[in-house]
Amino acid sequence: MEKLSFRLTAPRSAGGSRAQAIVGVVASGNLEVLLERNLPADVCTIDIATAAHGFGMVWDAVVRDFVARRSAGGLRISINDGGARPDTVALRLAQGVRKIEEPER
Amino acid sequence: MSDWGMQKAALGERLAAGRQHARGKVVPIPSLGAFLTAVIRSGDRVCLEGDNQKQADILASALANLDPQDVHDLHMVQSGVVLPSHLDIFEKGIARRLDFSYSGPQAARIAKMLFGRKIELGAVHTYLELFARYFIDLTPNVALIAAVSADKDGNLYTGPNTEDTPTVVEATSYKNGLVVAQVTEIVDKVPRVDIPGDLVHFVVEAGRPFYVEPLFTRDPAAITETQILTAMLAIKGIYAPYGVRRLNHGIGFNTAAIELLLPTYGEKLGLKGKVCTHFALNPHPTMIPAIESGWVEQIHCFGSEVGMEDYVAARSDVFFTGPDGSLRSNRAFCQTAGLYACDMFIGSTLQIDLEGHSSTVTTSRIAGFGGAPNMGSDPRGRRHPSEPWLKAGAEAAPDADAALRRGRKLVVQIGETFGDRNAPLFVERLDALELARALKLDLAPVMVYSDDVTHIVTEEGIANLLMCRSKDEREQAIRGVAGYTEIGRARDAKLVEQLRQRGVIRRPEDLGIDPLDADRRLLAARSIKDLMLASGGLYRPPSRFRNW
Amino acid sequence: MTEVAANNISLSWYEASARQRIDALVDSGSFAEFIGPELREMSPHLAIFDLPEQFDDGIVVGRGRLDGSPVLVATQEGRFMGGAFGEIHGAKLTGLLRAALALKQDILILFDTGGVRLQEANAGELAIAEIMRAIIEARCAGLNVVGLIGGRAGCYGGGSLIAGTCSRLIISEQGRLSVSGPEVIETNKGIEEFDSRDRALVWRTMGGKHRYLIGGADAFVDDEALAFRGAAIDALRDGRRCDMAVLEAEQARLERRLQRFGEAEDAVDIWRTLGIADPSDVPALPTGAFLRAANDRENADDAR
Amino acid sequence: MTLDDILASLFPNGSRIETTGAMISGQAILPDGGPIHVLGITQGQPLGVDEAIVLAGRVIEIVKSGDRTPILVLVDSASQRMSKRDELLGLSEYLSHLAKALLLAEAEGHRTVGLLYGGSAAGAFIATALATGTLVALPGAQPAVMDLPSMARVTKLSIDVLKAKAEATPVFAPGLDNMVMTGGIHVVWDNNAPLAPQLAAVLQRPQGQDDRGRLGAERGGRRKAAEIADRVVALATVSHQDAQHG
């Protein structure tokens, strides 16, 4: 497994009030994303454990775009990855911030 | 006086030799080896019928079992190199030279044998191109073909999978070649005459159906959210604005997703009757929901699809069927239809370079082209206008005189930026070039040339190459939809943004599409079972696709 | 008190994730997880094999309400490691069953498993044994233990043995219930005995319809979360005992099955013996027609 | 030790135990004079529907007799029988039924002891040995979930790599030591000493609690299972109280 960590300044803080959300599952070509709202509103950290080695540059680009485009401030994001493609990663991250914005039932 | 009947005389000799092993036209299975040894001459050009679907499999294994002492140096001219026996023929030294179109499952072995000089390669053709050469310089001396049934006179019924047979027989039989057909059974009267008995010299009763690969069945259960997103982009960003009514789809999951989104997403966009009314297309099971909900007026087919026979027969308003009620397919005609009478081809590929050339060849696999380059090319001989054709032409050359301006066929490559095993779709240099160098080929096996492709669709957006005015713009347009591949990450962000302002690149948000709406619940069928139910039980999927 | 909220989420059980299933099954908003993903209790063994871990180790356990009544629920994620039982995964279910006994609450198990996780096989095997013991203890105390089967991974291996100890089983057509998987049988006995790629054969031998017809499952439902929910509510309504009388009845039932069907070569022979008019049509029948055809099926009333 | 050696050493006071095919069935006298039922499977036989129903029937008969005497289950089996017929007939129900019979016998007051003296694997192991109240083994017994070659096929790792990994953890590889370490086997008997007193000692153990998780933690083979199960129980209880009062 390869471990990667990012700590980024986030232009927009996450909406909603849920403390945490989880999307996806760990499977071949898939990943899970756990989001916890426990950081300062302008910070987003992303920790990744991935089965696919040597894609650090790609992850770097994906998570930077994600934090720049979506509302991810205040989130500690943790990822377990079964070798998902970048498009799947980007989709799960987007699904994650949408889920943590949903009202609690 | 010169003898102008040498070929006819040679055919007479073959017929006489063959009759030693036959009763009338019928060759008993146990005599098949001796028979083939008698009628095939070393050095013959032989067409062993087989494409990406049907296979004259009994004749293929009989040919592979001949003694290379008796028969050798054959020149195989055939659509498909698909069965292991097709390559055994070369391995054993029965055949030496090969001209073909498609190799699918044998792509890796064929590459190995080419590197090992076991095969002398003529060329990798498109279907239509190989068919054309049957009539010019690759006319077979012997054709070994497959049909469903024959009568005692050799009249053949090919059933829904007629495919290449009429073309092969036409070229062979009318040029003094010998035609041998394997059939499931010999009957008193065939349900319809697909091939007249006059053209068929011998018949082998196989006792079982010829092999058919269900190549066009895509299980909706395997369609991903990203593929759904690309399908939404294609429908809203290309089908709708150009009003594409006449088209061909490739066999990938992206186009299967499009087919399954028509009755849901397409309906919501109000596109019914405005797009996708006429197809050159095999009976894809994923077309069932669109057909059932009245989207499709007409479909002409290259071949059939396993399990779709009864469904097709029950939908003769849509499909071409014979007097017996079942599908009539014809690969040559359908390829021609796809080339000249369709306004769009959309399909996936394995690699696209910075100019827009695309290829399904990798350094270790030669999959061949099949029909994609026929569909995926702009026919310079086209003269009839249509709205999408004219609109595309205008985008390519806005300043030209409208009355003299050629239209353009829409040739769309669709796919995710990363494929299997995270292999990038976009590359600096096609593997096909490496292969051409290693095999000393004159031509790299390019599937769709850069000057034919008009649009590239990925999950990141649509690049409209018709609207690019320079090589540089074209490159940035491609980089602009190449996602997180190296090609994509090396884009000039400013130029890409300018292209987006001009509408050359259109992102999901530019089209009002939220990637988070790309949900499997949008699919009109999410499983093979759903397709079966949508067909009213008429579609009978092969066992391997079932989960009930 | 949480309001009783009916759940009207429509989704394919087969396609849904473990968490989607639980959301759709219990009363809306009523679920609370124990040892959730944020606690990161992951398998300590997968790293040895350089395999990715999942925060919940492929099982979600917790409490919720079903039609207003409190229940404990466990749901397996069939896509993570094939839903297989490892040390943590199994222990979460063992704990939930012991909690059921302590709290006197019914329990639902949403199976989706290939059986024991090979990378922690001994721990997984023992977890199965511990779970089966805990289920019987809960059942002897009068609790319902209901199993729901209809996920992608089916219910195989040790999972199928656990299912066999449940008081009631609900299955869909897509559900599979079997000890040895198709590939295992093929590897052991050859492709002539079992062609694992013949999916129609797999489903008619191990699938939901066959299991329902021979009495291996109590309820047959559409592949739809609402249908599973409805059947689960029904299953909790009538309690099932677990004592020697039940076991004796099960002995008689299983002996009768061997006598009636022991010589059958194929599921179709069994269906014919059951008196179904067109047995080879069974796989194609839609639910309503199938349930009518299944009128004279074997069942397990008070014998499971 | 052969089955006969084992029975002789277990029951010096005499026994009436028959082996029909691969099925063991009978009664014996304990050193204290009390009776004990003996049943089991031998000769490395796979456990299929036919075997499971016979064993379960025997257990039910014993319980119905109402004598509440101990039951000894001898196990030398393969795995479950891997065949189309067994699965067609619902093997999972038969194996579960056998396990349930043993578990219910215990609930009805019978001590159940499993003695693993040969092989056993997978579903057969769960339905027999692991369904008893106390499982013991003789040296040389070979419990397994899956053999290493099969495991190598499935994990796509070589047998050598698997063996190396097995050195580091008892959690996956087959074998008696590993099953003891993970808490599945209570004790391995000394086969150089008479077995009768060792059986008597097992029958003295307090009854009822499933302590395999605790054993696995103590022995270091399964460090997390007991703790996780206990935490779920605690959380469920607390959350139940919250729900009651909330």
Side-chain angles (χ1 to χ4, degrees), chain D residues 9-20:
Chain D
S9 180
L10 273 171
F11 307 118
N13 294 354
S15 62
R16 275 187 300 112
I17 294 164
E18 281 178 38
T19 304
T20 317

Side-chain angles (χ1 to χ4, degrees), chain C residues 16-81:
Chain C
S17 70
R19 289 177 184 278
Q20 286 173 320
R21 283 181 198 144
I22 222 165
D23 279 346
L25 186 78
V26 299
D27 296 347
S28 186
S30 72
F31 183 71
E33 186 172 356
F34 307 143
I35 312 190
E38 76 285 0
L39 296 178
R40 297 170 167 76
E41 281 294 356
M42 299 185 278
S43 164
H45 310 298
L46 294 178
I48 302 169
F49 295 86
D50 200 32
L51 288 169
E53 296 150 2
Q54 183 157 298
F55 291 122
D56 57 17
D57 203 35
I59 190 168
V60 180
V61 302
R63 70 172 166 87
R65 288 178 174 272
L66 188 63
D67 205 25
S69 307
V71 286
L72 296 172
V73 195
T75 172
Q76 296 182 291
E77 178 50 67
R79 283 175 295 176
F80 174 65
M81 301 294 297

